[in-house]
Amino acid sequence: GICPDVVRDAAEWLTTMFLPNGTLPSWVGGPEIPAQSDILSQAVRIWAAVDPQHFGDAIERGLGALALLQDPVTGGMRYNTQSRHLNSWAAAFTIQAVKWAQNGVKPTELKWLI
């Protein structure tokens, strides 16, 4: 409920930033580094919180790219495509992104997005 127009505009802008592989850049206009799972899962959380129907394609694309960053043996989340490190906060963000995409977002959960 805080600045809904600004939040929606930001969510729209995020959809314009998709890279061809379905991820988001780590830095806009900055150095080219591997896409990071925490950034993408944060974007999926935003899209799910703002308007899951309108951003449905972006959510699906983001979840597909996140699935490629998941370790096939342990299920943990790699920080980026070049990392073998399984990252706990990326996993936490991804779990919440998947939950919100599949089940919706309760208003009380939005405080965790800030």
Side-chain angles (χ1 to χ4, degrees):
I2 300 172
C3 303
D5 293 342
V6 174
V7 173
R8 186 170 187 89
D9 287 349
E12 288 286 354
W13 176 82
L14 276 173
T15 65
T16 69
M17 297 308 301
F18 268 122
L19 299 172
N21 66 358
T23 63
L24 293 171
S26 299
W27 301 97
V28 176
E32 193 67 29
I33 60 174
Q36 298 169 332
S37 56
D38 60 336
I39 292 169
L40 188 53
S41 58
Q42 291 281 31
V44 170
R45 291 178 347 141
I46 290 168
W47 294 321
V50 172
D51 188 341
Q53 283 73 38
H54 177 76
F55 294 108
D57 290 340
I59 290 169
E60 288 304 313
R61 192 170 178 191
L63 290 176
L66 285 169
L68 297 174
L69 291 168
Q70 187 175 25
D71 182 73
V73 176
T74 66
M77 291 303 297
R78 287 181 284 142
Y79 188 61
N80 63 46
T81 56
Q82 296 178 352
S83 175
R84 291 188 184 265
H85 172 69
L86 300 179
N87 190 284
S88 59
W89 75 80
F93 292 152
T94 301
I95 289 167
Q96 190 175 53
V98 170
K99 179 183 178 284
W100 286 8
Q102 292 177 347
N103 303 321
V105 183
K106 296 176 186 167
T108 56
E109 293 175 307
L110 289 177
K111 65 182 176 184
W112 299 107
L113 188 60
I114 298 173

